[in-house]
Amino acid sequence: MNKTKAWIHAFRLRTLPLALSSIFLGSFLAAAHHSFSLKIFILATLTTLFLQILSNLANDLGDSISGADNNERVGPERAVQSGVISHKEMKGMLIVFVLLSLCSGLWLLYEGMQLINLKQGVIMLVIGLLAIGAAINYTVGKNPYGYSGFGDLFVFLFFGLVGVLGTYFLHTGNISWGLFLPAVSVGLLSVGVLNLNNMRDIDNDARTGKMTLVVKMGTANAKRYHFTLLSTAMILPCLYTIFNWQSAFQFLFLLSFPFIVRNVWHVFKNENARDLDPELKRLAISTLLFSLSFGLGLVL
C-alpha cells in the first residue's frame, strides 16, 4: 500500500454517508418548513465531512498508540498500523483537519447568525468546539471515552441530535419538540453502525483493554441491543408521520426498512465476527437512504 492509498484508507470514505445523513435530514426538514439556505447546506456538509475525517484519523492514531490496532484485529488494515504513515505525519494531518473544521464551522456559524441571536450563536460555537474535541478524544488522549464504553452516547448525540437539530436550527432559527423523533432515529441508526464495528472487534478490543459497550455486555446482549436500536429507529419516524400527516408521500422512508430489517437478521444469525464487516457499510448506506427518503417524502 503506497502513501496515497494509505491516506485514502485513513479517511475511511465508507463512513462518510453516515456522517451526511444527519445534515441531509436536517436540511430536508428545514425545506419542508420553507426555510432552506443553500449556503448553510453546503457549509454544514463540508464541516461534517471534515469532522468525520478528523475522527477517523484520530481513531487511526489512537488505536495504533494503544495497541488496539494489531495483526489480530478483524477489519481493514489501518494506515498507521501498516507503517506507511508515521505518528508524526498523522498528527500533522490531524492539525490540518482541525483547522479545516474550525474554518468551515465558523463560516457556517457566520451564515447562520442571520437568523439567530448572539447568545444562540455562542451556544452553537461551544457545541462546534465540543464536536471537534469529541472527534479527537474518541481514542486519543489520556482518557479516551471510546475506551470506556461511552462511544455510543457520543455518536447518538453528535450524529443524531446535534447533527439533525443543529442543521435545522441554522436553517430556520428555531427548534420544535417533534423534530426529536426523526433526529433520534438517525442517532440510533448511527449507534447501530458503531455497535456493528464493536461486535466485529470484540475479541481484540477485550484483549487490548478497549472496553467498548459490546465488550462490557457480551455478544448475545449486543445482538439484543442492536435489535432495540434499529427497531426503535423504525418506529419513531412512523410516529412522526402520523402526528404530522399531510400526504402518503411521507411514508416514502418505508423503502429503507427492508435493508434495516435485513441488517438485524444478519446480526442475529451471525456466528463469525469477521462477517459483520460488510454490514457496517450497508447499514451506513441504509441510514443515508432513510434520511433521503424521509426528507423527500416531506417536500414532495
Side-chain angles (χ1 to χ4, degrees):
M1 182 166 58
N2 61 39
K3 188 151 289 191
T4 300
K5 288 184 177 180
W7 280 119
I8 292 173
H9 278 290
F11 289 170
R12 298 187 210 172
L13 301 182
R14 69 176 183 171
T15 66
L16 300 187
L18 184 65
L20 293 175
S21 297
S22 59
I23 305 303
F24 287 173
L25 182 55
S27 297
F28 270 120
L29 286 165
H33 290 89
H34 312 291
S35 185
F36 174 84
S37 166
L38 183 59
K39 286 184 179 180
I40 294 292
F41 173 71
I42 293 173
L43 289 169
T45 299
L46 283 175
T47 303
T48 300
L49 290 177
F50 291 150
L51 284 170
Q52 181 61 52
I53 293 173
L54 172 64
S55 178
N56 293 341
L57 296 176
N59 185 235
D60 198 305
L61 177 64
D63 279 350
S64 173
I65 293 172
S66 71
D69 280 348
N70 53 56
N71 294 331
E72 296 182 6
R73 175 183 170 273
V74 179
E77 185 179 37
R78 299 286 178 80
V80 176
Q81 172 198 2
S82 70
V84 178
I85 295 174
S86 68
H87 284 191
K88 182 178 180 180
E89 289 173 321
M90 185 59 78
K91 289 177 181 177
M93 190 61 76
L94 281 176
I95 293 173
V96 169
F97 274 91
V98 166
L99 293 175
L100 286 172
S101 300
L102 276 173
C103 292
S104 180
L106 288 172
W107 191 359
L108 171 62
L109 184 57
Y110 172 78
E111 294 295 335
M113 287 297 292
Q114 298 180 43
L115 293 174
I116 62 179
N117 58 41
L118 181 60
K119 181 180 179 180
Q120 292 169 330
V122 171
I123 293 173
M124 293 300 292
L125 175 61
V126 171
I127 292 174
L129 294 175
L130 288 174
I132 292 175
I136 296 173
N137 195 233
Y138 178 56
T139 57
V140 174
K142 293 182 179 179
N143 296 295
Y145 63 85
Y147 282 57
S148 303
F150 290 103
D152 297 56
L153 175 61
F154 279 82
V155 165
F156 173 73
L157 291 175
F158 286 101
F159 280 73
L161 300 186
V162 172
V164 176
L165 300 179
T167 301
Y168 179 88
F169 183 68
L170 289 170
H171 276 294
T172 65
N174 62 76
I175 289 288
S176 65
W177 286 106
L179 299 175
F180 276 80
L181 293 175
V184 168
S185 290
V186 172
L188 294 177
L189 289 170
S190 300
V191 174
V193 175
L194 178 62
N195 190 53
L196 281 171
N197 181 84
N198 292 339
M199 289 177 68
R200 181 197 66 189
D201 295 340
I202 182 172
D203 292 332
N204 190 60
D205 285 346
R207 281 193 298 268
T208 57
K210 187 175 182 180
M211 301 302 293
T212 64
L213 198 57
V214 171
V215 171
K216 292 181 176 182
M217 71 172 68
T219 299
N221 285 328
K223 290 182 177 182
R224 299 185 187 100
Y225 174 55
H226 198 73
F227 169 80
T228 302
L229 290 171
L230 270 58
S231 59
T232 305
M234 289 187 285
I235 292 170
L236 295 181
C238 294
L239 293 177
Y240 178 88
T241 302
I242 292 170
F243 295 151
N244 299 274
W245 176 258
Q246 291 184 337
S247 77
F249 285 114
Q250 288 176 263
F251 278 110
L252 191 63
F253 65 85
L254 293 176
L255 293 174
S256 66
F257 281 11
F259 302 102
I260 298 172
V261 171
R262 179 202 170 278
N263 184 269
V264 174
W265 173 253
H266 188 90
V267 166
F268 265 89
K269 72 175 184 177
N270 175 263
E271 296 180 357
N272 184 355
R274 188 179 298 273
D275 293 338
L276 291 174
D277 188 62
E279 292 303 312
L280 275 76
K281 180 178 179 180
R282 289 169 184 156
L283 184 55
I285 293 175
S286 298
T287 303
L288 180 60
L289 175 60
F290 164 74
S291 293
L292 292 173
S293 56
F294 187 94
L296 283 171
L298 292 174
V299 300
L300 287 177

